[in-house]
């Protein structure tokens, strides 16, 4: 409208002289002031209102009045699949140096605390032996089993300490006690981190290509996408991995492992077998019902925690997040598709595993520094960091994210290097 007025008056607009915008994450561009005339004024009234101070008005950025709203919206729209304007070195430089320091005494203090709580809960539950207390015990003890797993998880990443022997001993004690083969899991989890966000090469909770998805039997699809079955998947994954992948975490000859890693796998399988034998002996001493109450049910609560947390770290965001193949995949871009989650009171209990983005990019950072490291990295990550929704005391809000994802995130296209989950109409309307 202003351009029309100027042209009728024989006056040419001033040339555009705005500085070019920068894509650098470190930039802090000044906001552009937009002056929009009231909608009730027509072209003539606007012209007459401005004639008394014309020089001032022609200095106003006229192009802001000519920009269609659609173009402004397109310019501000964020593409999560686009390469980020920063690199790993930029993120690393933003994290304080002390966040990289591993304190074995501090790590061991968490082990002592959690093990003491585990035995204390079991002693109290066995002493009172009340059906009013057993459900509370099962939830609390299952959550503590999950906390033990997270500490063993730190051992597997080497963030527990700088001593590989201490990491191995602590990792075996922690993971064997909850029937997880330490080295078998450690090696496959390393594969997960090295290939996070890759459709074919990722190891856990990776998407199914459409062609593979359509070949699965209905029973398999129901177990994978119908709750609560996916939340009970972990022991079966340890034995047989995910659909489309072969091997076992207990088999040293599995294609999960390199030849030089066979001895490690044998060691972990032997430790797992020893724990299983101990549980069988305790069944004869205490009776199977008592062992089911003390260990069996908490074990399955732990499994549900593990599947619940690990799934939602890679699924269930309000916006669809990309998965990559081929040249589009990189360690950084794959890691940026992971999600932080807030678990309320559980955050401290399970050692801030919800601060998952920085952990995936830099797994060597100890868990007790992850929150600080994440806060320091946020200005660099910008929109590539998705702020988690605040939780109440318990993360009940995440149940909705889980249910929605199970109904919508079924497979990805067989083609394309940047792909997004698609829904199977036959399952989308299915009750979960």
């Amino acid at each position: 409208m202003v351009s029309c007025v100027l042209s009728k008056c024989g006056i040419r607009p001033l040339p555009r002289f705005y500085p070019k915008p920068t894509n650098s994450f470190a930039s802090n561009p000044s906001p552009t002031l937009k002056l929009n005339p009231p909608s009730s004024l027509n072209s003539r009234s606007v012209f007459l209102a401005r004639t008394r101070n014309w020089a001032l008005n022609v200095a106003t950025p006229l192009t802001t009045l000519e920009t269609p709203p659609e173009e402004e919206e397109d310019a501000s729209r964020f593409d999560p699949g686009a390469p980020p304007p920063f690199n790993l070195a930029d993120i690393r430089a933003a994290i304080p140096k002390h966040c990289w320091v591993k304190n074995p005494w501090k790590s061991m203090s968490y082990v002592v605390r959690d093990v003491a709580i585990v035995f204390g809960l079991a002693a109290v539950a066995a002493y009172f032996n009340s059906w009013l207390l057993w459900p509370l015990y099962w939830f609390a003890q299952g959550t503590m089993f999950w906390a033990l797993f997270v500490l063993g998880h730190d051992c597997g990443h080497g963030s527990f300490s700088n001593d590989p022997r201490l990491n191995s001993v602590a990792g075996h004690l922690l993971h064997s006690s909850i029937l997880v083969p330490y080295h078998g899991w450690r090696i496959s989890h390393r594969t997960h981190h090295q290939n996070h966000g890759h459709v074919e090469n990722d190891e856990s909770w990776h998407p199914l290509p459409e062609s593979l998805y359509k070949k699965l039997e209905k029973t398999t699809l129901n177990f994978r996408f119908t709750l609560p079955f996916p939340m009970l998947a972990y022991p079966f994954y340890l034995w047989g991995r995910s659909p489309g992948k072969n091997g076992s975490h207990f088999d040293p000859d599995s294609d999960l492992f390199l030849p030089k890693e066979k001895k490690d796998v044998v060691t972990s399988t032997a430790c797992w077998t020893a724990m299983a034998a101990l549980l069988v002996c305790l069944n004869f001493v205490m009776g199977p019902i008592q062992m089911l109450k003390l260990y069996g049910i908490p074990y399955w609560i732990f499994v549900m925690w593990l599947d619940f947390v690990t799934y939602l770290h890679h699924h269930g965001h309000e916006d669809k997040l990309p998965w990559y193949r081929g040249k589009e995949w990189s360690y950084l871009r794959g890691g940026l598709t992971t999600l932080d989650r807030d678990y309320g009171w559980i955050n401290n209990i399970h050692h801030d595993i919800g601060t998952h983005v920085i952990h995936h990019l830099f797994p060597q950072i100890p868990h007790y520094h992850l929150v600080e490291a994440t806060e320091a990295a946020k200005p660099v990550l910008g929109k590539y960091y998705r702020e988690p929704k605040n939780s109440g005391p318990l993360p009940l809000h995440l149940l909705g994210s889980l249910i929605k994802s199970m109904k919508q995130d079924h497979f990805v296209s067989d083609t394309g290097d940047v792909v997004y989950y698609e829904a199977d109409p036959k399952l989308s309307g299915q009750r979960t």
Side-chain angles (χ1 to χ4, degrees):
M1 181 179 69
V2 177
S3 298
C4 178
V5 173
L6 292 175
S7 64
K8 290 182 179 180
C9 293
I11 302 175
R12 300 179 61 187
L14 293 177
R16 300 176 183 178
F17 53 91
Y18 310 110
K20 294 182 178 179
T22 175
N23 291 327
S24 171
F25 61 86
S27 63
N28 185 22
S30 301
T32 302
L33 179 63
K34 297 183 182 180
L35 300 177
N36 294 315
S39 58
S40 60
L41 298 180
N42 56 30
S43 301
R44 179 176 177 81
S45 60
V46 171
F47 171 74
L48 293 175
R50 293 183 174 179
T51 52
R52 297 185 62 182
N53 191 16
W54 183 253
L56 176 62
N57 282 307
V58 296
T60 303
L62 300 177
T63 54
T64 60
L65 299 176
E66 296 178 324
T67 304
E70 295 81 3
E71 293 184 11
E72 291 183 1
E73 183 180 349
D74 291 341
S76 63
R77 184 177 296 137
F78 172 67
D79 179 9
F86 51 83
N87 55 39
L88 277 173
D90 297 324
I91 307 173
R92 181 188 293 271
I95 298 174
K97 292 183 179 180
H98 67 267
C99 290
W100 305 88
V101 177
K102 308 165 191 175
N103 185 338
W105 293 105
K106 189 169 187 175
S107 297
M108 283 302 302
S109 72
Y110 286 106
V111 174
V112 172
R113 182 196 76 175
D114 288 1
V115 171
I117 294 174
V118 166
F119 279 99
L121 288 172
V124 170
Y127 176 79
F128 288 100
N129 195 21
S130 168
W131 284 106
L132 294 176
L133 294 179
W134 280 119
L136 297 177
Y137 166 78
W138 294 332
F139 177 80
Q141 191 71 297
T143 303
M144 290 310 302
F145 282 11
W146 164 234
L148 295 181
F149 176 89
V150 175
L151 291 177
H153 162 271
D154 284 4
C155 295
H157 281 300
S159 60
F160 190 87
S161 77
N162 287 320
D163 186 346
R165 292 172 296 181
L166 175 60
N167 295 337
S168 181
V169 171
H172 274 96
L173 291 174
L174 291 165
H175 274 193
S176 298
S177 68
I178 50 176
L179 296 178
V180 175
Y182 172 70
H183 279 310
W185 164 86
R186 176 185 63 81
I187 295 168
S188 73
H189 191 65
R190 179 190 64 197
T191 302
H192 166 56
H193 269 259
Q194 291 175 343
N195 297 278
H196 47 209
H198 194 290
V199 174
E200 284 82 20
N201 297 340
D202 202 345
E203 175 59 28
S204 57
W205 291 122
H206 60 88
L208 298 174
E210 184 175 6
S211 58
L212 175 59
Y213 175 87
K214 291 182 176 180
K215 293 178 182 178
L216 296 179
E217 297 179 357
K218 185 177 180 179
T219 303
T220 303
L221 292 177
N222 287 334
F223 273 106
R224 184 176 175 89
F225 297 107
T226 305
L227 293 172
F229 300 117
M231 299 297 101
L232 304 173
Y234 188 65
F236 305 98
Y237 162 73
L238 290 176
W239 284 101
R241 298 178 73 188
S242 302
K245 296 181 182 291
N246 299 315
S248 169
H249 290 74
F250 300 92
D251 181 7
D253 294 320
S254 170
D255 57 7
L256 268 171
F257 313 120
L258 299 174
K260 64 179 182 180
E261 295 169 334
K262 287 186 177 182
K263 290 183 178 180
D264 290 339
V265 177
V266 170
T267 299
S268 295
T269 301
C271 291
W272 184 95
T273 304
M275 181 62 191
L278 175 62
L279 292 174
V280 171
C281 293
L282 290 175
N283 269 278
F284 287 104
V285 174
M286 297 184 179
I289 299 299
Q290 188 73 349
M291 279 301 296
L292 177 66
K293 293 188 293 185
L294 285 173
Y295 187 93
I297 296 178
Y299 169 80
W300 284 105
I301 298 295
F302 147 66
V303 167
M304 294 179 73
W305 266 118
L306 188 151
D307 285 324
F308 178 72
V309 171
T310 55
Y311 181 87
L312 288 178
H313 281 162
H314 302 275
H315 299 78
H317 193 260
E318 291 79 3
D319 302 320
K320 292 288 186 179
L321 298 180
W323 289 79
Y324 300 102
R325 292 188 181 98
K327 295 181 179 179
E328 291 292 336
W329 180 89
S330 71
Y331 180 84
L332 174 59
R333 293 176 73 181
L336 292 175
T337 65
T338 61
L339 299 166
D340 280 11
R341 299 290 190 180
D342 182 13
Y343 296 93
W345 288 348
I346 310 298
N347 284 332
N348 180 262
I349 296 174
H350 69 186
H351 309 293
D352 291 315
I353 194 64
T355 49
H356 206 65
V357 178
I358 290 300
H359 164 69
H360 246 271
L361 294 174
F362 305 106
Q364 62 270 40
I365 295 179
H367 75 264
Y368 42 83
H369 290 318
L370 283 174
V371 173
E372 181 181 0
T374 298
E375 290 299 322
K378 283 182 183 180
V380 179
L381 298 175
K383 291 185 178 181
Y384 287 87
Y385 179 80
R386 299 155 189 95
E387 197 74 38
K389 290 184 177 180
N390 292 331
S391 174
L394 296 176
L396 300 179
H397 68 291
L398 293 178
L399 293 176
S401 299
L402 175 66
I403 294 172
K404 182 179 178 181
S405 178
M406 287 291 170
K407 289 183 177 181
Q408 296 182 353
D409 300 337
H410 297 148
F411 60 85
V412 297
S413 173
D414 292 326
T415 59
D417 288 346
V418 181
V419 294
Y420 295 81
Y421 265 111
E422 300 177 35
D424 181 352
K426 296 180 181 179
L427 289 179
S428 297
Q430 177 177 311
R431 295 185 62 185
T432 56

